[in-house]
Amino acid sequence: MRIPFRVIGGVLVASLLTQISACGSIFYPDRRGQIDGKIDPAIAALDAVGLLFYIIPGLIAFAVDFATGAIYFEPGRSVQIEPEKLKPAINPDGTINNQKLQAILESELGRSFPLDDPRLIQHKGNVQQLATLGLVPAA
């Protein structure tokens, strides 16, 4: 009669220990300590997998990641490229060649950006920005 209780207890302890250290805390320990931010959908999906097994482990995973802040993206993470490297993507009249820009971004950042997406919002630069790149604005 003692063996079933030990087996059940062992399984319970093992499942709780694996879920207490939730996915965000395991994969991104440097994110801990954040208060708020944009939720990382990959970590939220991995925590939701715990809901498939049992409700309690999934809720514990979400609670740990929200309490530690590991479920949020890192704040202020950005990438910058030197303006000199972007000059080949600028046409003489000041317009942007999206194909050249996309090739530069892929080579520098190692990621693909859909610059031909119709939902892309392009902001126009001002005269001072063009002057820093050595370009004359076209009227």
Side-chain angles (χ1 to χ4, degrees), residues 35-46:
I35 297 172
D36 63 351
K38 190 173 180 180
I39 294 176
D40 187 353
I43 299 300
L46 289 172

Side-chain angles (χ1 to χ4, degrees), residues 19 21-32 34 38-51 57-58 60-74:
Q19 288 300 317
S21 56
C23 296
S25 299
I26 292 172
F27 296 138
Y28 302 105
D30 54 326
R31 290 186 183 178
R32 284 186 248 165
Q34 298 182 69
K38 190 173 180 180
I39 294 176
D40 187 353
I43 299 300
L46 289 172
D47 285 345
V49 169
L51 291 172
I60 290 172
F62 273 112
V64 169
D65 278 347
F66 275 111
T68 61
I71 199 166
Y72 301 115
F73 279 120
E74 294 177 36

Side-chain angles (χ1 to χ4, degrees), residues 75-88:
R77 186 172 187 177
S78 63
V79 178
Q80 294 182 355
I81 298 176
E82 297 295 323
E84 294 80 29
K85 294 180 181 178
L86 296 174
K87 277 189 178 182

Side-chain angles (χ1 to χ4, degrees), residues 6-21 57:
R6 286 186 179 182
V7 170
I8 291 172
V11 169
L12 182 65
V13 167
S15 66
L16 288 178
L17 284 177
T18 58
Q19 288 300 317
I20 285 176
S21 56

Side-chain angles (χ1 to χ4, degrees), residues 1-10:
M1 196 127 154
R2 298 188 96 196
I3 293 177
F5 286 118
R6 286 186 179 182
V7 170
I8 291 172

